Structures are given as C-alpha cells and as structure tokens.
Amino acid sequence: MLNTSRRRVKTLLATGAIAATAALVLSGCGSRADDATAAAAGSSCIDTSGDTIKLGFLNSLTGGMAISEKTVSNVLHMAADEINADGGILGKQIEYIQEDGATDWPTFAEKTEKLLTQDCVAAIFGGWTSSSRKAVKPVVEELNGLFFYPVQYEGLEASPNIYYTGATTNQQIIPAMDFLAAEGVKTLFLAGSDYVFPRTANAIIKLYAAELGIEIVGEEYVPLDKDDWTTQVAKIAAAKPDFVFNTINGSSNVGFIKAYYDAGLTPETTPIISVSIAEEEAPAMGHEVTGNYASWNYFQSLDTPDNPKFIEDWKAYPGSSGVTSDPMEAAYISLYLYKALVEKAGSFEVDAVNAAAAEGGITFDAPEGTVTLNGDNHHISKPGHIGRINADNQFDIVWESDGFIEPDPFLDGYDWFPADVRDALVASAG
Amino acid sequence: MDELLPPLLNGTALGALLLLAALGLTLTFGQMGVINMAHGEFIMAGAFVAYVTQQVIPSSDLSIPLALPLAFVVAGFLGLLLEVTIIQWMYRRPLDTLLATVGVALILQQAALQIFPAQGVPVEKPSWLDGQIDVLGYEWPLRQVFTIVLAAACVAALAAWLKYSSFGRRIRATVQNRDLAETSGVATRSVDRITFFVGSGLAGVAGVAASLIGGTNSQMGVQYIIPAFLVVVAGGIGQIAGTVIAALAVGIAMTFFAYWTSGSLAQVLAFVLVVIFLQIRPQGLFTVRTRGLA
C-alpha cells in the first residue's frame, strides 16, 4: 500500500517535471529579442518591432491598499499619455497593461511573472508596500526584468532589477531627525504600525537619536489594520515627550490622530512628525491633524519651476484626486526616468538600460526639482522638506535640507550606523 | 490606581465599541443562525451615513445625533435587501450564507471605494464631545464616555424590545419553535425580515460610533467582523447579557494587555484567552436552555 502510494507520488512528480519543462520550452515567448542568446538565458521577449512598446503597471486596485495605490496607477496613466502625446519613447508609443495586485503579495509575484513572460513588457511600474516590492524582487531578478518602485521605504536594498524613485531613509527619516534636532527636541516617542518599514525606520531613528542626544521615551506599535490607538495614546500622554515620531501607515493614522486629539494632546504641547501623512491622507483626518508636521521630498506647495504644470495637469486628469503628493510624484518621475534611461541606452533591452544607468548622468526635471539617478544603487537624489499641515490640508514648508540629498540606502556614509546592525537589519528584512 | 484606571476606562470604551458591533449579530447570528460576513460592511455603511449627514448639515453638533437613526435605517434596509435577495434561500445552509455574504462584503467594499474618495472621508465629532473629564486624576476623553452611553442605550432598547413588545414575543416564539409559532398565527417570514432589519440597523449605529474613533473608508468594516463574532460566541449565542459581559471582558483584557505589552501582542493574547475559554465552556457564558432571552 505504502509502496503503491509512493510510486504514485513519484509518477506524479515525473509528470509534473515533464509538464513544466514542456511549458518552458513552449512559452519561450517567441524569442523576438534581437539577441537570440538573451532569450535562451531565460530573459527578454520584448517586442520592439512595431510602433508601440508594452509597459506593465502593477497596482492594487482592489483590497486594502487600493486606498493608496489607485492614485499611483492614475498618475502613471497620465505620465504615459503625456509621453505618448510628446512622441513616445524612442519614437514608440507606450502601450500599457494595467494589472491589479489586489493587496495580495503572491498576486504581485504572479502578475509580475505574467507581465514579463506572457505580455513581454519592457518594464513594470508600481507597488506600494514593502511586502509587495519584496514579492516582485525575486521574480524580476530571476527573469531579468525591470521594476520601478515609487514609494518611500526602509532602505537597505539595491536590486540591479529595481529602480527606487521614492525616498530611502537618509532622504526622509534622517532629514526629519535633523529637523527635530534643530527644533531643540530632547525627548521623542515612537509610534508605528507593526510591520517592516516602521520597525526598521525606528531602529535607525534610535541609533541617530543617540548620536543627536535625543532621548527615546517610548515606542509603540499597533497592527496595520487596527484603528484603535487609545491605549497607546494614553501612554504618550503619560510620557510627555517633546515630539512624537509617527511611522503609522494607512487608515490606522486616522484613529491615531483622533485618539490623540481626544486625549487633549495638541501640536502646541506635543507635535507629531509623520512620514506617511501627505496631501492625500490629511483630508480624511479633518481639522484634528492641523498643525502637525510631515517629512517628504515633494509637497504640492513646493515652489519649483515644474510643479505648477504638474499640479494643473493632474487636477485636469480624469480620475484625479485633486491634490498632488509625494508618492504619486515619485511614480510620475519613474516613467520619465525610464524614458531617459531608454533614450540614453538607445534600446529597451534590460542590460542596455542598466548599462546606461551605470554610466551615470541620467537626470529629470521633476516637480520636486532636478533629480539625478545614482547608477550604483538605482535610487535618485532628492531634496528633504518638512511641511506643517495648515487648515486647507496643505503643507507650509518650514525646513529644507541643504541641497539635494544623495541616496544612501545602506547608510554607508553615516558612522553612527554600525555595520553589524546593518547586516542584521538586511538579513531580517529578507 | 494610576496604573490601573486608564486601561480600565479605555478598555470599557473599547468593550462598548465591540458590543455595538456585536449587538446586531446577537439577532442575526444568535437568533436566526445566519453567519453574515457583510455585517462589518453594514458598520461601514453607518459610518458613511454619518459623513453624508455631515455634508448636508455641517454642524456636527446636530449631524451626529441625527445620523444615528439615519444610519440605523440605511444599514437596516441594506440588511433587509440582503435577506430578501440572498439569505432567505439559505436558512438551512449556514456555510453557504458565509460564502455568499463574504462576496457581498467585497462588493460593498468596492462600491464604497468607487463612490467615496479612496483615502476615506472625515467625520468630525460634535463639539460637545471635545475634551476630557477628570476621573480620579485621569483625563478621560469624553468621546469614550459617549461610546459607552450609546452602547448602554442600544442594549437597553434591544432588551426591552425583545422582552416587552409583542414583536419581541413573536421573535422569541419563532426562535424557540418555528412550527408552533406558525400554527399559532405568527407570520414567521415577516419576523425573519424585521429581525434582520433591526440586527443590521444596529451595525449602522455602531458605524456612527466607529466613524468618531477611526477612519471612515472602504476597508474599515474588516477589523470589526472577527472580534464581533468572537464576542457573540463567547457570550453564548443569542444571549444579550452574555454578549455584554464578553464584549467588556475582551475590551478590558485587550487594553490591559496592550498597556503591559504591545498593541500586536495584546490582540493575540486576548484571542488566545477567548479560545481557551471556549475550550472549557464551548456553549459560551450563557445558554439558551437555562435562561430566557435577554
């Protein structure tokens, strides 16, 4: 009995292996790439023969993250329309394929594989949560695809197949800490959602706080899907810190701000600095968030040459939310950055694009200013800004960094960040 | 006292919110045996009613009290619609209702995402809920007091309705022996519908309370559905008194755990506690046979 069932398993495995091999051989994506060996190496099937070039947009249009990712998807469509109206990329019109990541990380991985192997897109744009990026990463690395990720994140990553157009920690967290130090803050309370970004960010904040002489008087986490912050706010009220560093994400922020206001804590007594509340999120919190701070690279209120047109175009775009914000601006950058890379490379091939990046000198006149791509770590230079939320849910700029900040995802240039901590964090982040 | 009072009061308020979320389920799940996974989305509907009311009447002092009955009616009608279109065909198949209502929940979430701004909408609390009251040196937020008062009022109204009104008698008769009730002239179909209307309507009231505590958006209902079912099961299915005690116990326990440990661990510990309790007493705190309803 045991023997037969074992044999059956073996037969099944053998059949599976044959089927898989057959599928691999059959798929091959028609190997349309100019270089046949590239196709054999398991990569490119990008079709450059026609007047169009296929790009994949991968955003959660359903599920919990649709709240944020719908806007990113819309702004990618706007950027694609703009580029097409302007003649396309290397004379080819962008034909985008929109996929729904459905707030489900395995779905992100599946759709990435589908976009790369079946649709044969030249690059994929999207993702929001670090979990979605980490689901996409092994797939684009194995299939040698390209993924453009537009959201600020916890750093400690530099994949040759990913371009990061949002801030890494030294472009958002560290400027926020510099601002707090300039404000004379002595005690700080850390409040965050319970997942990789807040945990990693707080690990970095604690190290830098020690360097700056700021005392951490408390640290609290609540699951991402919970709105109730009452107990944790009671702890903040008891600890009486000078400032609260908020790494809460999503709707949970609304519950935090409401509980904070309910407890009688105000920006006058205990201000909050956030890294996830932008122009999109602030209106859902009403007047109770007014007067608190946020650290971003881009604000709608920035006075730069290219910002007014961006705001105007976005407001006029169908499906627009009416306000511009940092993550959507970073998504807008990502498509133009890709255009600049391809035009420099003169090719849509992944290796050629990466080679063009490595040569350096790729820039884009973004709404936040002229950003430069770092060819080594695939991040971009960004200005650091601190804004204070006003009654219109816009941000008054109260602090800015000394020029653009070069991306340093592994914080190599900061001697208070020990190598063993870095290795441990990189290992735990997977 | 300093260490015990804030979590005790905060926990009571959290328990009251759980109670509001679960109260409707004591009717639809407890009395009728329907596993309605869209109950959380009825809570969401109630919260959006609070927002819409506030758009029409900008003064939150008036709009929130007015939203309470409106949310009850809107969520009630959603429940009625669900009962008439789907649930009435599945009364003897609880697992089918579970699957069907999960689908309805997803449809309602996506509908909210299409109709309202994706990031959610603001609901301002009335100015008479601004501030705190001093309880032995702890500045207790008034909004928490409001949640507790609202929950108490709903429980009292529901209990009185079930116990003293002729309709309450008909519900109890239908639950205890449907065939006998029917032969005695009770129109059990209309009893089903009205019970479902009231149960769903209570979710709408919970939604107004929830809109003052957290975000009002398409995903807000998800966080309430599991704790609400847990509370109803732990309290003893169909038992209002049991649900009240279980909701307060879970709320207070969760808050103390959060106070001593962390927000994430608190949830785990509270759920583990309920699971252990149900291992010892699978029928919950109270059972139908030993005591009458309410």
Side-chain angles (χ1 to χ4, degrees):
Chain A
M1 188 60 204
L2 191 72
N3 225 353
T4 18
S5 67
R6 246 191 216 154
R7 197 174 302 149
R8 189 175 298 156
V9 170
K10 264 188 184 167
T11 325
L12 269 175
L13 281 175
T15 323
I18 292 167
T21 323
L24 270 177
V25 171
L26 282 174
S27 72
C29 274
S31 45
R32 294 188 209 103
D34 302 354
D35 188 352
T37 51
S43 77
S44 180
C45 57
I46 304 164
D47 181 7
T48 53
S49 58
D51 296 337
T52 61
I53 182 72
K54 280 186 190 167
L55 299 179
F57 295 163
L58 181 51
N59 316 91
S60 294
L61 302 177
T62 55
M65 284 310 296
I67 284 175
S68 302
E69 293 186 48
K70 258 178 105 170
T71 306
V72 168
S73 161
N74 277 342
V75 82
L76 284 169
H77 292 184
M78 179 174 100
D81 290 352
E82 278 181 20
I83 291 172
N84 281 345
D86 202 36
I89 302 177
L90 287 183
K92 293 186 195 302
Q93 292 285 297
I94 297 170
E95 179 190 343
Y96 56 75
I97 297 164
Q98 176 72 56
E99 287 289 350
D100 179 8
T103 320
D104 181 57
W105 321 137
T107 304
F108 268 91
E110 272 166 37
K111 299 282 185 182
T112 304
E113 189 171 355
K114 183 238 170 199
L115 283 167
L116 289 175
T117 59
Q118 290 178 35
D119 300 317
C120 295
V121 299
I124 300 172
F125 301 78
W128 183 292
T129 63
S130 285
S131 311
S132 69
R133 188 190 66 252
K134 285 184 190 301
V136 168
K137 186 170 171 255
V139 183
V140 286
E141 284 178 354
E142 194 192 322
L143 297 171
N144 196 25
L146 284 178
F147 183 60
F148 284 74
Y149 175 72
V151 184
Q152 42 79 236
Y153 80 115
E154 66 281 359
L156 305 172
E157 197 181 290
S159 166
N161 295 89
I162 301 181
Y163 287 82
Y164 308 78
T165 59
T168 176
T169 41
N170 81 313
Q171 297 169 316
Q172 188 188 29
I173 302 286
I174 290 176
M177 291 299 286
D178 289 337
F179 163 73
L180 294 182
E183 289 281 294
V185 169
K186 290 283 163 236
T187 54
L188 189 63
F189 199 106
L190 310 179
S193 301
D194 206 354
Y195 73 103
V196 57
F197 168 69
R199 292 267 179 190
T200 312
N202 282 344
I204 293 165
I205 288 169
K206 281 190 273 186
L207 286 168
Y208 195 33
E211 178 79 8
L212 294 169
I214 296 173
E215 188 195 348
I216 306 293
V217 293
E219 184 177 2
E220 286 293 329
Y221 298 93
V222 161
L224 199 49
D225 57 351
K226 288 287 163 200
D227 281 6
D228 188 67
W229 272 87
T230 316
T231 314
Q232 291 72 25
V233 164
K235 286 191 192 176
I236 296 175
K240 296 192 176 62
D242 290 346
F243 238 98
V244 175
F245 204 114
N246 167 12
T247 46
I248 304 166
N249 216 327
S251 158
S252 190
N253 250 322
V254 184
F256 173 64
I257 295 294
K258 287 195 171 185
Y260 206 77
Y261 187 85
D262 275 342
L265 296 167
T266 66
E268 283 69 41
T269 59
T270 324
I272 303 168
I273 187 158
S274 308
V275 289
S276 296
I277 298 178
E279 290 85 347
E280 294 267 342
E281 289 82 10
M285 298 170 207
H287 70 85
E288 297 177 359
V289 76
T290 307
N292 286 307
Y293 299 84
S295 172
W296 291 106
N297 310 107
Y298 171 84
F299 284 108
Q300 183 170 340
S301 56
L302 278 190
D303 183 20
T304 63
D306 294 290
N307 198 19
K309 186 176 179 300
F310 176 60
I311 297 168
E312 201 179 304
D313 290 348
W314 173 242
K315 281 183 175 168
Y317 196 74
S320 154
S321 49
V323 291
T324 55
S325 67
D326 187 292
M328 54 168 289
E329 190 250 4
Y332 183 79
I333 292 177
S334 69
L335 202 59
Y336 275 98
L337 207 63
Y338 177 68
K339 176 177 188 278
L341 276 167
V342 169
E343 283 174 353
K344 180 164 187 200
S347 159
F348 290 96
E349 287 303 320
V350 174
D351 293 338
V353 168
N354 278 341
E359 269 177 44
I362 302 284
T363 61
F364 171 60
D365 295 331
E368 69 188 62
T370 303
V371 298
T372 310
L373 177 70
N374 181 312
D376 294 329
N377 59 32
H378 286 188
H379 291 61
I380 60 177
S381 65
K382 283 176 165 289
H385 289 108
I386 308 292
R388 189 166 193 207
I389 305 172
N390 62 29
D392 303 324
N393 290 312
Q394 284 290 322
F395 291 78
D396 301 326
I397 310 294
V398 294
W399 183 93
E400 61 180 70
S401 63
D402 190 13
F404 276 56
I405 306 166
E406 280 302 311
D408 186 358
F410 293 94
L411 300 177
D412 292 322
Y414 298 83
D415 49 17
W416 47 263
F417 193 64
D420 56 325
V421 175
R422 174 184 311 126
D423 297 344
L425 284 173
V426 170
S428 70
Chain B
M1 204 59 197
D2 273 7
E3 281 297 302
L4 295 180
L5 194 64
L8 184 68
L9 294 178
N10 294 334
T12 310
L14 177 61
L17 181 66
L18 281 179
L19 177 57
L20 278 169
L23 204 55
L25 288 180
T26 62
L27 285 177
T28 56
F29 177 53
Q31 306 284 341
M32 301 171 70
V34 173
I35 300 177
N36 177 17
M37 294 303 282
H39 193 76
E41 278 56 47
F42 294 167
I43 295 177
M44 170 193 83
F48 276 114
V49 168
Y51 166 73
V52 173
T53 313
Q54 214 157 65
Q55 297 312 107
V56 179
I57 304 163
S59 157
S60 57
D61 288 4
L62 291 175
S63 58
I64 294 297
L66 200 67
L68 289 169
L70 281 176
F72 181 84
V73 173
V74 170
F77 271 111
L78 280 176
L80 196 61
L81 193 68
L82 180 67
E83 204 276 346
V84 172
T85 52
I86 296 174
I87 287 173
Q88 66 157 318
W89 314 108
M90 299 183 175
Y91 272 122
R92 280 177 189 81
R93 296 175 299 171
L95 284 180
D96 290 6
T97 56
L98 190 150
L99 289 177
T101 52
V102 165
V104 171
L106 292 176
I107 292 170
L108 289 174
Q109 283 171 23
Q110 201 62 26
L113 194 62
Q114 299 297 334
I115 298 169
F116 297 100
Q119 289 281 352
V121 293
V123 177
E124 303 269 339
K125 68 178 175 184
S127 61
W128 39 269
L129 285 183
D130 266 349
Q132 304 80 36
I133 51 166
D134 192 306
V135 183
L136 300 173
Y138 171 60
E139 296 284 313
W140 196 21
L142 270 176
R143 197 255 305 140
Q144 294 192 12
V145 184
F146 172 75
T147 313
I148 295 170
V149 170
L150 183 64
C154 287
V155 168
L158 180 64
W161 184 66
L162 280 178
K163 189 155 188 178
Y164 299 115
S165 74
S166 67
F167 192 81
R169 278 196 296 277
R170 270 182 272 160
I171 292 183
R172 285 183 285 147
T174 309
V175 168
Q176 279 165 15
N177 192 327
R178 182 174 288 264
D179 295 337
L180 193 59
E182 227 160 89
T183 39
S184 315
V186 174
T188 55
R189 273 302 296 139
S190 72
V191 167
D192 287 342
R193 280 178 196 155
I194 293 174
T195 313
F196 215 86
F197 177 86
V198 174
S200 305
L202 285 168
V205 174
V208 178
S211 75
L212 301 177
I213 291 164
T216 299
N217 54 60
S218 60
Q219 296 300 309
M220 66 176 291
V222 180
Q223 60 188 306
Y224 295 106
I225 190 78
I226 302 296
F229 269 108
L230 210 68
V231 159
V232 173
V233 172
I237 293 164
Q239 299 299 303
I240 294 181
T243 305
V244 172
I245 294 170
L248 291 177
V250 169
I252 291 171
M254 214 183 259
T255 307
F256 269 103
F257 289 143
Y259 210 71
W260 291 326
T261 63
S262 74
S264 310
L265 199 57
Q267 220 176 325
V268 177
L269 290 173
F271 285 173
V272 166
L273 219 63
V274 173
V275 170
I276 292 172
F277 171 76
L278 286 175
Q279 287 296 314
I280 299 164
R281 210 179 149 77
Q283 70 274 40
L285 275 174
F286 297 106
T287 50
V288 182
R289 292 198 181 279
T290 51
R291 278 196 53 151
L293 297 166

